[in-house]
């Protein structure tokens, strides 16, 4: 070990390293740390001797909901093999041992500086949060262009750093709609890169193109030459001309030996004989068998998609730094809710008003876990419809002048004015129960997990402090 | 002109029965007796026989419908893709349904492979086979035959369409007589209105096919099953090992079936419509091919029919004899007649030609109108053809005779059929070497 490094580096037995003012954590397969416990480190070093563990871990960290994690500098340490383009696009580099930490410090500091430049990484919708993740990850790594990377484990054959890791392979088609939306909003500009095909049944991209019997779709067949004997005009598969005794070809019609191809006979075509159904044919059908759902696709039925490489536009860069505004616009579109900034102003004013006239006002939050799973299960469009329904239901429990806002797609904040904290708590419980029932009934197999909190509005504390206390751990 | 008519009148008056016979012996013996009187007699006989055998026909039909034999319809051809869809639609409308359709593309250089494959994929045809290298019609037909599964093989040309019961009708003769090895269909001209030449061919087909083949079939000397529409027993085809190299393979396969000991029948009610050549040039080319095959197959390849110690039997002998006599010998006899007239009656030649023309026109009208009574199925009104009948004298008497004469001479002297591009040189070369 370099003596200089030895002097300033401290490594404890738990895998924590302090070096040059930064804290690192080496993540081993059996480290047992939760992601939340890793949030405090400057950078993570994934022990990558086991490539499967390394691939899984990096995707998990980059798909984490909190920007503090998904933007964190992450490196492989001691990688046994090259994990390939896509996994490499998720890490910030590799080192072989801790002695090389010095080499990655400038890169880490660059990422940190760029991360600190980001004013807002929050988003009001699931789609917006993924777009934000995509943009911020590229921005903090100094990338203006994001290329699709062929990835054998991808459900759509190509993966994009910052987006694809958020989806199960079977759900990766959503990557396209999200990128399309970002392109439509002018944040990125797409350029044709490749064309690829997906299963018509499950949208998966792992396809086995096979030549099959046009009758029974079996790929088990025997191919024979067709032989044409010129002198007598006899035509048939070569087996008709073969005999058991020698390699000569004998014409079964005129008993002559076929001597010279092109002179007294030729092979004008071939014939395939299906070993399964004995069908004889000359032209195979080509089918694409999905390796995910085993559905045998006709080629013309395959879903064709253009794969693009994306360049982040100036507008996209602004949105990266200052927050993705279209997300807020969408929340506005939900009847009965108001933008979070307006909500903050109105509650601040209410605090002032109550300070003068006095009243029993409360501030509550409802947090829906597994929003990603929800979107995966029902899609973004249905989620919006469901959100409107949720808001309508909640409105029925509230007074007309109570306010509702979404701070992010999972976190709803609302006021319960002119009601005691006890009654407000009961009311909130009732709302949460109803929401649980609504979601359970409407989405099969979805594990509904809702947290809620309520607290009276304190006239002596600022709104900002009160909202932080209310949403701590969920924001 | 007045003088000409006076002289012509004198010529007519001068014609006593003896002189008439002396001068118009060719017409009386070889046309009137053979093609009017004998044909009328035989047609009447065949109709009476058919009436007497009507119960046999019904029984055969019942047996056929009960058995529902599987039939293979084979359609070999080159560059026929544009016709296949129409043909298949015509086949789909058949009363008889238990058949497979095998289309063989013999090295087409148009869109036939694309059309054939897509029709196979759509389930409109059972099998589409393509030889990238052209091998000739015989090889294409043999390829289809190799994969045909039917008890009967129906051979079609792609540019044909069929009456709704044509398949049923062409198969019935097999059920009327176990010795029947092959049956020919009744081919009519679909495009008879397209041009003068197609109209004349329609008239010719009425005469030589719809009437002539009824008679030859009745006499057991039916000699050419048209490639446009013919049916064969599969076991017979296995025995004779399919088609040999063309051109003229239709007549050749018929002879092969006959020589194998089977009879060949004509099914008048099995009607097929085909497109005839629409210019005299195309027609001459087609007939040259057909006429050359008479010399090649009947006088060379199958000459053993004439030798008592070889493949002789009376019906084959008569079939060949009649064909060679009328198709070949008398064609040359016609020249002798011309020489006879020029030498012996030179001063009256113009009147003889005119009288011959009138006689032929009258004969053709008589034949057309009277024989129409024996035709059960007409694809055009009789009245349409009436004004064209005088043209048949030129068409039959001069055009076709000249073409035939030219074709026979070429084949006799130069074996020209082996150079016909209708068949690929690679196969014709071997056929020539082997005398096939």
């Amino acid at each position: 070990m370099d003596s200089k490094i030895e002097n300033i580096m401290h490594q404890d037995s738990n895998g924590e390293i302090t070096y040059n003012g930064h804290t690192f954590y080496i993540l081993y397969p059996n480290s047992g740390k939760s992601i939340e416990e890793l949030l405090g480190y400057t950078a993570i070093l994934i022990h990558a001797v086991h490539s499967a563990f390394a691939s899984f871990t990096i995707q998990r960290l980059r798909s984490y909901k909190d920007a503090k994690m998904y933007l964190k500098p992450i490196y492989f340490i001691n990688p046994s093999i090259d994990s390939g383009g896509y996994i490499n696009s998720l890490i910030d580099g590799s080192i072989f041992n801790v002695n090389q930490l010095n080499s990655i410090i400038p890169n880490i500091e660059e990422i940190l500086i760029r991360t600190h430049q980001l004013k807002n990484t929050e988003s009001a919708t699931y789609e917006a949060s993924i777009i934000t993740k995509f943009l911020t990850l590229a921005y903090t790594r100094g990338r203006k262009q994001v290329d699709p990377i062929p990835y054998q484990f991808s459900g759509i054959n190509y993966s994009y750093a910052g987006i694809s890791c958020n989806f199960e392979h079977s759900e990766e088609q959503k990557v396209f709609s999200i990128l399309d939306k970002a392109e439509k909003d002018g944040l990125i500009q797409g350029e044709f890169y490749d064309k690829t095909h997906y299963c018509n049944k499950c949208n998966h991209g792992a396809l086995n193109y096979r030549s099959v019997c046009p009758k029974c779709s079996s790929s088990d067949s025997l191919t024979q030459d067709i032989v044409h004997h010129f002198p007598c005009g006899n035509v048939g598969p070569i087996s008709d001309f073969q005999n058991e005794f020698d390699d000569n070809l004998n014409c079964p019609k005129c008993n002559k030996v076929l001597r010279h191809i092109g002179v007294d006979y030729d092979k004008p075509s071939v014939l395939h004989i299906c070993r399964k159904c004995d069908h004889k044919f000359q032209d195979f059908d080509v089918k694409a068998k999905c390796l995910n759902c085993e559905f045998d696709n006709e080629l013309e039925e395959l879903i064709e998609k253009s794969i693009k490489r994306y360049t982040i536009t100036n507008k996209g860069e602004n949105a990266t730094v200052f927050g993705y505004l279209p997300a807020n616009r969408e929340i506005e579109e939900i009847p009965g809710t108001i933008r979070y900034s307006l909500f903050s102003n109105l509650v601040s004013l209410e605090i002032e008003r109550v300070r003068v006239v006095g009243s029993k006002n409360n501030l509550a939050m409802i947090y829906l876990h597994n929003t990603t799973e929800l979107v995966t299960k029902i899609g973004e469009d249905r989620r919006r419809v469901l959100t409107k329904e949720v808001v309508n239901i909640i409105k029925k429990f509230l007074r007309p002048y109570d306010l509702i806002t979404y701070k992010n797609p999972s976190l709803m904040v609302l006021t319960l004015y002119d009601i005691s904290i006890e009654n407000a708590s009961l009311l909130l419980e009732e709302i949460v129960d109803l929401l649980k029932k609504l979601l359970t009934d409407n989405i099969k197999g979805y594990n509904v997990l809702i947290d809620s909190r309520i607290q009276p509005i304190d006239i002596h504390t600022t709104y900002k402090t009160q909202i932080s206390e209310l949403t701590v751990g969920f924001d | 002109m007045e003088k000409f008519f006076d002289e012509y009148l004198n010529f007519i008056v001068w014609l006593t029965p003896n002189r008439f016979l002396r001068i118009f012996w060719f017409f009386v013996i070889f046309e009137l007796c053979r093609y009017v009187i004998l044909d009328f007699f035989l047609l009447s006989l065949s109709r009476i026989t058919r009436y007497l055998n009507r119960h046999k026909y019904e029984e055969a039909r019942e047996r056929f419908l009960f058995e529902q034999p599987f039939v293979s319809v084979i359609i070999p051809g080159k560059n026929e893709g544009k016709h296949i869809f129409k043909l298949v639609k015509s086949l789909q409308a058949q009363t008889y349904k238990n058949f497979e359709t095998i289309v063989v593309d013999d090295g087409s250089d148009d869109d036939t492979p694309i059309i054939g494959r897509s029709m196979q994929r759509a389930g409109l045809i059972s099998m589409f086979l393509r030889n990238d290298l052209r091998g000739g019609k015989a090889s294409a037909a043999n390829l289809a035959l190799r994969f045909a599964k039917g008890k009967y093989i129906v051979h079609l040309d792609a540019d044909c369409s069929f009456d709704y019961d044509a398949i049923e009708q062409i198969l019935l003769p097999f059920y009327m007589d176990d010795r029947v090895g092959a049956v020919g269909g009744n081919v009519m001209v679909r495009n008879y209105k397209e041009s003068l030449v197609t109209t004349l061919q329609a008239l010719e087909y009425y005469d030589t096919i719809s009437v002539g083949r009824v008679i030859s079939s009745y006499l057991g000397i039916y000699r050419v099953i048209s490639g446009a529409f013919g049916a064969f027993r599969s076991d017979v085809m296995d025995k004779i090992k399919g088609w040999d190299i063309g051109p003229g393979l239709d007549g050749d396969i018929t002879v092969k079936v006959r020589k194998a000991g089977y009879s060949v029948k004509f099914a008048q009610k099995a009607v097929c419509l085909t497109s005839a050549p629409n210019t005299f040039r195309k027609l001459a080319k087609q007939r040259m091919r057909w006429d050359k095959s008479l010399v090649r197959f009947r006088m060379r390849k199958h000459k053993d029919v004439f030798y008592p110690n070889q493949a002789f039997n009376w019906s084959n002998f008569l079939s060949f004899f009649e064909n060679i006599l009328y198709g070949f010998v008398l064609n040359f006899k016609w020249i002798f007649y011309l020489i006879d007239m020029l030498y012996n009656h030179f001063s009256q030649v113009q009147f003889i030609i005119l009288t011959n023309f009138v006689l032929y026109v009258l004969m053709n009208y008589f034949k057309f109108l009277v024989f129409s009574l024996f035709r059960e199925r007409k694809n055009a009104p009789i009245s349409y053809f009436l004004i064209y009948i005088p043209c048949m004298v030129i068409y039959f008497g001069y055009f076709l005779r000249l073409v035939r004469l030219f074709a026979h001479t070429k084949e006799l002297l130069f074996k020209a059929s082996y150079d016909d591009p209708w068949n690929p040189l690679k196969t014709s070369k071997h056929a020539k070497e082997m005398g096939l």
Side-chain angles (χ1 to χ4, degrees):
Chain A
M1 189 181 281
D2 186 296
S3 59
K4 189 179 170 193
I5 293 174
E6 201 175 4
N7 286 337
I8 54 174
M9 187 171 80
H10 171 73
Q11 180 174 6
D12 70 11
S13 56
N14 296 326
E16 288 182 11
I17 300 172
T18 307
Y19 176 71
N20 214 6
H22 300 295
T23 54
F24 298 85
Y25 185 79
I26 303 179
L27 202 54
Y28 292 95
N30 54 357
S31 68
K33 280 228 183 216
S34 70
I35 294 180
E36 286 77 9
E37 289 173 294
L38 300 173
L39 286 170
Y41 296 99
T42 310
I44 307 295
L45 305 172
I46 299 172
H47 196 258
V49 171
H50 304 290
S51 61
F53 163 75
S55 299
F56 172 77
T57 307
I58 182 65
Q59 290 188 78
R60 206 162 151 238
L61 297 180
R62 290 293 186 220
S63 64
Y64 193 68
K65 62 186 178 180
D66 194 334
K68 284 177 194 157
M69 177 49 72
Y70 69 71
L71 293 179
K72 194 176 287 298
I74 305 174
Y75 298 83
F76 279 173
I77 182 166
N78 197 17
S80 58
I81 52 164
D82 183 5
S83 302
Y86 172 60
I87 295 300
N88 286 342
S89 76
L90 295 177
I91 57 172
D92 294 301
S94 295
I95 53 173
F96 288 98
N97 52 53
V98 291
N99 297 340
Q100 293 177 322
L101 275 180
N102 194 39
S103 66
I104 60 173
I105 293 297
N107 180 234
I108 291 171
E109 286 175 350
E110 177 72 23
I111 292 169
L112 293 177
I113 289 167
R114 282 180 162 268
T115 305
H116 282 127
Q117 288 170 357
L118 304 177
K119 306 281 185 257
N120 182 17
T121 53
E122 288 173 6
S123 306
T125 68
Y126 176 72
E127 275 179 0
S129 69
I130 300 294
I131 292 169
T132 302
K133 192 180 279 190
F134 172 70
L135 292 173
T136 52
L137 196 65
Y139 178 81
T140 52
R141 271 63 187 173
R143 292 194 289 251
K144 277 281 281 183
Q145 185 172 287
V146 180
D147 285 344
I149 302 164
Y151 184 45
Q152 59 174 321
F153 298 113
S154 164
I156 56 171
N157 300 332
Y158 284 93
S159 289
Y160 291 91
I163 292 196
S164 299
C165 59
N166 297 289
F167 299 95
E168 293 292 320
H169 294 323
S170 59
E171 299 293 333
E172 264 188 83
Q173 284 286 332
K174 291 190 172 67
V175 168
F176 291 118
S177 60
I178 287 171
L179 287 168
D180 285 348
K181 183 172 168 46
E183 192 177 10
K184 207 171 156 190
D185 281 0
L187 306 176
I188 51 178
Q189 191 177 9
E191 179 197 341
F192 178 82
Y193 182 83
D194 197 3
K195 202 159 261 187
T196 185
H197 295 86
Y198 304 110
C199 172
N200 189 32
K201 194 177 170 192
C202 71
N203 288 323
H204 206 274
L207 299 167
N208 179 20
Y209 292 86
R210 308 172 309 141
S211 301
V212 297
C213 165
K215 201 170 174 187
C216 70
S217 294
S218 166
S219 51
D220 186 12
S221 64
L222 172 77
T223 298
Q224 282 203 12
D225 285 321
I226 294 288
V227 171
H228 172 204
H229 189 217
F230 298 157
C232 66
N234 188 29
V235 185
I238 199 163
S239 56
D240 288 1
F241 293 79
Q242 286 165 331
N243 65 66
E244 295 172 355
F245 311 107
D246 54 34
D247 293 336
N248 283 346
L249 296 175
N250 298 88
C251 178
K253 182 174 173 180
C254 64
N255 295 322
K256 283 196 164 67
V257 176
L258 278 60
R259 297 199 174 280
H260 198 135
I261 190 161
V263 176
D264 61 344
Y265 76 99
D266 65 6
K267 295 176 178 177
S269 55
V270 293
L271 185 87
H272 312 292
I273 302 154
C274 176
R275 282 199 170 104
K276 191 177 170 196
C277 71
D278 202 38
H279 181 52
K280 295 169 183 73
F281 55 97
Q282 284 189 307
D283 300 299
F284 283 110
D285 267 7
V286 178
K287 285 195 168 181
K289 190 167 198 167
C290 176
L291 299 179
N292 185 47
C293 71
E294 294 190 32
F295 180 68
D296 229 356
N297 291 271
E298 300 286 347
L299 291 194
E300 54 270 31
E301 288 171 355
L302 288 174
I303 298 165
E304 188 182 271
K305 285 267 189 196
S306 289
I307 300 290
K308 295 178 182 177
R309 74 156 51 92
Y310 292 96
T311 307
I312 297 165
T313 61
N314 289 338
K315 185 181 174 187
E317 235 168 75
N318 281 335
T320 310
V321 176
F322 298 105
Y324 180 29
L325 293 174
N328 292 335
R329 194 175 63 222
E330 275 167 23
I331 289 296
E332 276 176 14
E333 286 166 7
I334 300 171
T337 66
I338 56 172
R339 283 165 62 174
Y340 180 70
S341 52
L342 179 62
F343 179 90
S344 307
N345 288 340
L346 291 175
V347 176
S348 300
L349 288 172
E350 181 61 13
I351 292 169
E352 293 305 317
R353 192 185 69 81
V354 171
R355 196 172 286 155
V356 178
V357 298
S359 184
K360 294 173 179 171
N361 288 347
N362 308 283
L363 205 52
M365 71 104 201
I366 299 171
Y367 185 84
L368 178 65
H369 293 267
N370 315 333
T371 331
T372 313
E373 190 191 335
L374 177 73
V375 176
T376 303
K377 282 206 180 296
I378 64 172
E380 185 60 21
D381 290 340
R382 261 193 78 198
R383 187 196 70 84
R384 280 193 196 121
V385 173
L386 200 66
T387 307
K388 281 178 196 171
E389 273 184 48
V390 167
V391 170
N392 282 337
I393 289 168
I394 294 172
K395 289 286 279 182
K396 284 177 188 165
F397 288 87
L398 304 181
R399 296 173 196 278
Y401 47 83
D402 276 328
L403 307 171
I404 304 175
T405 191
Y406 273 97
K407 199 173 177 200
N408 65 45
S410 306
L411 182 61
M412 176 190 269
V413 184
L414 59 152
T415 62
L416 292 126
Y417 289 153
D418 299 326
I419 185 170
S420 68
I421 182 70
E422 294 79 15
N423 288 340
S425 299
L426 290 172
L427 201 60
L428 187 63
E429 267 177 43
E430 213 172 316
I431 290 171
V432 168
D433 287 346
L434 203 65
L435 286 181
K436 280 180 180 169
K437 191 173 182 323
L438 176 79
L439 295 173
T440 311
D441 291 349
N442 279 284
I443 308 157
K444 275 186 184 168
Y446 175 54
N447 180 27
V448 182
L449 194 58
I450 296 176
D451 268 311
S452 63
R453 274 185 199 156
I454 189 162
Q455 64 184 43
I457 292 178
D458 182 1
I459 54 169
H460 305 294
T461 318
T462 62
Y463 164 76
K464 211 172 174 181
T465 313
Q466 291 189 57
I467 197 76
S468 297
E469 285 171 9
L470 181 72
T471 61
V472 66
F474 296 104
D475 191 6
Chain B
M1 191 57 110
E2 218 173 283
K3 192 185 163 202
F4 177 81
F5 278 111
D6 282 346
E7 284 177 9
Y8 184 58
L9 213 59
N10 288 336
F11 171 74
I12 299 292
V13 173
W14 173 79
L15 277 178
T16 60
N18 281 344
R19 282 177 183 154
F20 182 85
L21 272 178
R22 169 64 188 88
I23 293 173
F24 299 106
W25 58 270
F26 189 89
F27 172 78
V28 173
I29 299 169
F30 297 111
E31 303 289 350
L32 190 69
C33 290
R34 163 67 182 85
Y35 287 114
V36 179
I37 298 168
L38 188 62
D39 276 6
F40 181 74
F41 173 71
L42 291 171
L43 265 179
S44 305
L45 263 183
S46 75
R47 186 52 63 90
I48 292 165
T49 311
R50 205 177 87 184
Y51 177 75
L52 294 174
N53 287 336
R54 65 189 186 282
H55 301 298
K56 210 173 157 189
Y57 174 83
E58 284 305 323
E59 281 169 19
R61 188 163 184 272
E62 272 175 31
R63 271 197 296 139
F64 165 71
L65 291 177
F66 177 75
E67 187 189 321
Q68 293 277 320
F70 187 61
V71 177
S72 296
V73 176
I74 64 171
I75 307 151
K78 185 193 174 198
N79 292 345
E80 301 283 13
K82 54 188 175 292
H83 301 299
I84 296 175
F85 184 73
K86 208 158 75 177
L87 169 69
V88 167
K89 294 310 262 182
S90 169
L91 291 174
Q92 282 179 338
Q94 289 295 307
T95 50
Y96 192 69
K97 306 283 186 196
N98 192 23
F99 62 84
E100 61 175 352
T101 316
I102 303 174
V103 177
V104 180
D105 170 17
D106 186 28
S108 293
D109 47 21
D110 64 356
D111 290 336
T112 300
I114 299 165
I115 295 167
R117 282 175 190 136
S118 63
M119 288 184 68
Q120 184 184 29
R121 211 169 295 131
L124 293 171
I125 54 179
S126 318
M127 196 176 206
F128 177 77
L129 296 166
R130 170 176 164 79
N131 282 337
D132 293 327
L133 303 169
R134 183 177 164 237
K137 193 158 186 180
S139 72
N142 286 335
L143 182 61
L145 184 66
R146 173 62 182 76
F147 296 107
K149 298 189 198 98
K151 185 179 176 185
Y152 299 101
I153 310 293
V154 175
H155 179 288
L156 307 179
D157 274 354
D159 61 348
C160 293
S161 54
F162 301 88
D163 272 11
Y164 68 100
D165 60 347
I167 301 266
E168 180 182 328
Q169 290 296 343
I170 205 168
L171 294 172
L172 286 179
F174 292 113
Y175 287 81
M176 292 177 75
D177 184 349
D178 289 342
R179 289 168 304 167
V180 174
V183 182
N186 189 355
V187 181
M188 294 182 183
V189 176
R190 180 174 44 216
N191 57 338
Y192 66 93
K193 278 185 175 174
E194 194 179 336
S195 63
L196 175 65
V197 68
T198 57
T199 306
L200 296 178
Q201 285 175 90
L203 276 166
E204 181 200 357
Y205 277 45
Y206 272 153
D207 191 36
T208 58
I209 296 182
S210 297
V211 173
R213 289 184 180 176
V214 170
I215 294 165
S216 58
S217 178
Y218 176 70
L219 292 174
I221 57 170
Y222 176 33
R223 58 177 180 267
V224 181
I225 290 175
S226 167
F229 191 25
F232 304 86
R233 260 171 53 182
S234 283
D235 57 334
V236 174
M237 291 303 272
D238 285 345
K239 208 167 165 181
I240 63 173
K241 294 176 177 173
W243 283 266
D244 291 347
I245 300 163
L249 64 166
D250 307 342
D252 181 49
I253 191 91
T254 315
V255 176
K256 284 174 72 177
V257 172
R258 295 179 69 93
K259 280 168 78 175
Y262 297 92
S263 64
V264 179
K265 291 289 176 192
F266 175 67
Q268 194 186 13
K269 290 180 181 175
V271 174
C272 153
L273 299 181
T274 189
S275 293
N278 55 1
T279 63
F280 280 102
R281 193 186 169 84
K282 285 183 195 165
L283 176 66
K285 212 171 154 187
Q286 182 200 56
R287 293 309 164 91
M288 285 281 284
R289 198 169 65 236
W290 290 4
D291 292 331
K292 277 185 258 181
S293 68
L294 181 143
V295 176
R296 175 166 160 181
F297 289 105
R298 294 188 196 275
M299 295 172 68
R300 289 205 194 106
K301 184 179 173 185
H302 296 296
K303 61 178 187 268
D304 55 350
V305 164
F306 295 106
Y307 300 129
N309 59 340
Q310 292 180 27
F312 181 87
N313 78 43
W314 276 108
S315 68
N316 284 347
F317 175 78
L318 284 174
S319 169
F320 269 55
F321 180 75
E322 194 267 351
N323 191 205
I324 292 170
L325 179 69
Y326 279 86
F328 182 75
V329 179
L330 294 186
N331 213 31
F332 290 97
K333 190 91 176 173
W334 172 74
I335 298 171
F336 295 131
Y337 174 71
L338 202 64
I339 295 166
D340 176 26
M341 290 302 111
L342 289 171
Y343 187 73
N344 295 314
H345 303 278
F346 185 72
S347 61
Q348 294 168 309
V349 156
Q350 70 273 35
F351 306 129
I352 292 169
I353 291 172
L354 183 64
T355 311
N356 255 321
F357 183 80
V358 172
L359 287 172
Y360 274 97
V361 167
L362 289 174
M363 182 188 79
N364 286 338
Y365 270 114
F366 176 82
K367 272 178 72 179
F368 181 71
L369 293 170
V370 173
F371 289 0
S372 286
L373 301 173
F374 293 91
R375 281 195 294 269
E376 292 169 37
R377 161 80 162 80
K378 303 167 186 72
N379 68 327
I382 288 173
S383 58
Y384 176 80
F385 294 103
L386 290 177
I387 57 164
Y388 294 101
I389 284 176
C391 302
M392 289 301 283
V393 181
I394 313 290
Y395 174 72
F396 252 133
Y398 297 96
F399 176 73
L400 289 185
R401 266 192 186 138
L402 276 173
V403 170
R404 203 177 299 147
L405 190 69
F406 191 56
H408 289 169
T409 310
K410 271 187 90 174
E411 183 63 24
L412 271 174
L413 300 179
F414 307 109
K415 294 189 175 179
S417 67
Y418 295 101
D419 301 323
D420 195 321
W422 189 83
N423 209 54
L425 189 65
K426 64 184 180 187
T427 59
S428 292
K429 194 174 71 181
H430 289 276
K432 194 174 183 178
E433 280 168 13
M434 295 165 71
L436 294 172

